[in-house]
């Protein structure tokens, strides 16, 4: 089976959030099932620095007014994953971020930039001249790739099947209706049954309407977004799709996130000997000028500093954390006002609080390893990866009971502690009082070393690798395309199953 995986970012070529982690790890896991996955993404300047063996393989014909594009092939560093980059200097070779300029403003032509990504994806999937490859399935990710199923529907003749994944319904790619013509979208598709969304054209709605199958990134979030409270205006569209929509839990790349081999840690550790975690804590305290004390609880927060991630509530809780004698370290970026507020909190509580504004991948690893407790709450959370990384590193997460957080963290109650299923601390309401109460329970158990150690080991024993989830995606591809696929039940002697068996597995 041949699958074209279309995404706006993939680690380490380009990253702003969890989409990049998924876009690396899932295709790698799918290739272990024998699926020929090719990843397509924009040719950002940073991607060319990291790609291996880059070479021009095709000239992309002029489309949507873009005439300077070529297709560059290469492979991911340290991974058996082929990648195609769209080299279009006018669209993607810019200073600034992937979606915004240096001042934090969205690029004014983001509609054209990502429509062109979708156009190239549809062209490659159907068979690009000069390339001996076409797709059986196109997997389009998030709003940036939402037009791929629509563009494919406009092509004559046979076309590949399509799967669209929404990683966060709040990000929709909505643009003025005037863009229809320059994006080569026939006007008849600008309607309630098509891509029209409150008088704008919506890339997200295009993916939800025109893809053969739709997924999101956790079962609980899949149920939540069928309601007005979480559906961001798209709950009716999803409800109409019925059985074409399902939730598949994200996993993590256990090769990249492994405390036993993580190259950035000052000392590695594993379940059988987690003493190295104390060394990681000491090193981080020294790096940030915090008092060096292996017994003081260290609370970490590595996330986007946004309302969604409850950064405002965490700020409200920082003085209480300081009063408890704990240390707090935050790493992330997001809303400028919240960034400033975190820096001001550092100035007020410098002996116990450290803040780094800006995302730093190695520092994120070091903070996960050094922390005793990780704050990973959210007002809504499709899946969340930081809490999964925390579990892997023996750092107990504090989360709100929503979306993928509810699916992945077991609250430490008297019952779950006794039956050894507890892995963290869960609260219900997105406010200071509930967050503080959960933190108080965590700090209380931290002062019981034997119980805390047992909770750490239970957390580290959880399996959130991509293996099971990749099998579900492979089964979904088979169900939508009718092509038999290897579900990889035994990697040393893989079993090829029928498409009908795969359909049952996907459901």
């Amino acid at each position: 089976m041949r699958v074209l995986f279309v995404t706006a970012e993939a680690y380490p070529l380009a990253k702003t959030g969890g989409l990049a982690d998924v876009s690396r790890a899932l295709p790698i896991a799918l290739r272990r099932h024998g699926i020929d996955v090719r990843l397509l993404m924009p040719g950002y300047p940073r991607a060319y620095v990291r790609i291996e063996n880059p070479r021009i393989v095709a000239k992309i014909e002029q489309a949507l007014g873009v005439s300077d594009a070529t297709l560059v092939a290469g492979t991911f560093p340290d991974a058996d994953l082929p990648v195609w980059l769209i080299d279009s200097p006018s669209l993607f070779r810019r200073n600034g971020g992937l979606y915004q300029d240096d001042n934090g403003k969205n690029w004014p032509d983001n509609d054209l930039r990502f429509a062109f990504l979708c156009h190239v994806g549809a062209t490659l999937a159907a068979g690009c001249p000069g390339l001996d490859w076409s797709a059986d399935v196109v997997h389009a990710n998030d709003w940036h790739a939402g037009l791929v199923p629509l563009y494919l529907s406009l092509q004559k003749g046979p076309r590949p099947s399509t799967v669209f994944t929404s990683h966060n319904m709040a990000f929709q790619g909505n643009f003025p209706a005037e863009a229809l013509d320059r994006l080569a979208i026939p006007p008849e598709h600008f309607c309630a049954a098509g891509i029209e969304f409150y008088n704008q054209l919506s890339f997200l709605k295009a993916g939800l309407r025109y893809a053969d199958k739709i997924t999101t990134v956790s079962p609980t979030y899949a149920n939540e977004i069928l309601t007005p409270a979480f559906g961001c205006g798209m709950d009716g569209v999803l409800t109409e799709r019925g059985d074409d929509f399902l939730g598949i839990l994200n996993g993590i790349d256990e090769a990249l996130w492994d405390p036993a081999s993580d190259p950035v840690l000052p000392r590695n550790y594993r379940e059988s000997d987690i003493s190295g975690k104390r060394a990681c804590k000491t090193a981080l305290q020294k790096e940030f000028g915090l008092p060096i004390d292996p017994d003081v609880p260290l609370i970490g927060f590595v996330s986007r500093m946004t309302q969604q991630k409850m950064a405002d509530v965490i700020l409200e809780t920082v003085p209480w954390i300081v009063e408890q004698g704990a240390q707090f370290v935050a790493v992330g970026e997001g809303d400028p006002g919240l960034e400033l507020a975190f820096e001001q909190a550092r100035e007020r509580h410098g002996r116990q609080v450290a803040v780094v504004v800006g995302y730093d991948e190695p520092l994120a690893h070091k903070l996960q390893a050094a922390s005793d407790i990780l704050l990973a709450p959210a007002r809504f959370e499709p899946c969340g990866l930081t809490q999964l990384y925390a579990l892997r590193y023996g750092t107990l997460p504090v989360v709100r009971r929503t979306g993928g957080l509810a699916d992945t963290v077991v609250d430490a109650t008297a019952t779950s502690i006794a039956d050894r299923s507890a892995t963290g601390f869960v609260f219900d309401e997105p406010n200071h009082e509930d967050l503080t109460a959960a933190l108080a329970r965590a700090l209380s158990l931290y002062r019981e070393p034997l119980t805390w150690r047992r909770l750490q080991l239970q957390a580290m024993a959880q399996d959130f690798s991509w293996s099971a989830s990749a099998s579900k995606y492979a089964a979904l591809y088979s169900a939508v395309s009718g092509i038999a696929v290897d579900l990889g039940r035994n990697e040393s002697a893989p079993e090829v199953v029928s498409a009908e068996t795969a359909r049952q597995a996907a459901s």
Side-chain angles (χ1 to χ4, degrees), residues 276-318:
K277 189 169 176 63
R278 291 172 69 88
C280 293
K281 183 176 183 177
T282 298
L284 193 81
Q285 289 171 330
K286 183 177 181 180
E287 180 176 349
F288 285 103
L290 300 172
I292 297 175
D293 185 345
D295 296 320
V296 68
L298 177 59
I299 300 171
F301 174 62
V302 52
S303 176
R304 286 184 289 112
M305 294 176 177
T306 62
Q307 295 281 324
Q308 179 201 339
K309 301 294 186 178
M310 289 178 56
D312 55 323
V313 179
I314 290 172
L315 277 166
E316 189 181 353
T317 306
V318 168

Side-chain angles (χ1 to χ4, degrees), residues 367-453:
L367 182 57
Q368 288 280 15
S371 299
D372 301 297
I373 299 165
L374 184 83
L375 294 182
R379 287 183 166 86
F380 65 94
E381 185 57 76
C383 179
L385 295 176
T386 56
Q387 85 279 9
L388 301 182
Y389 301 147
L391 294 170
R392 179 83 163 147
Y393 281 62
T395 300
L396 301 188
V398 176
V399 304
R400 181 169 173 253
R401 200 185 315 274
T402 185
L405 303 177
D407 289 329
T408 55
V409 179
V410 178
D411 190 27
T413 63
T415 299
S416 63
I417 291 172
D419 66 20
R420 304 202 172 195
S421 62
T423 58
F425 303 89
V426 185
F427 63 95
D428 290 306
E429 297 302 323
N431 57 44
H432 166 71
E433 291 75 19
D434 273 31
L435 174 57
T436 302
L439 262 176
R441 290 193 290 123
L443 292 173
S444 177
L445 286 176
Y446 179 79
R447 299 183 183 99
E448 300 179 23
L450 292 180
T451 301
W452 191 261
R453 179 61 58 87

Side-chain angles (χ1 to χ4, degrees), residues 50 60 76 119 123 164 175 200 222 268 308 352 355 432 438:
R50 297 178 173 94
I60 299 173
F76 270 60
H119 168 79
T123 301
F164 176 74
F175 298 97
Q200 293 184 301
N268 295 114
Q308 179 201 339
Q352 290 174 254
V355 173
H432 166 71

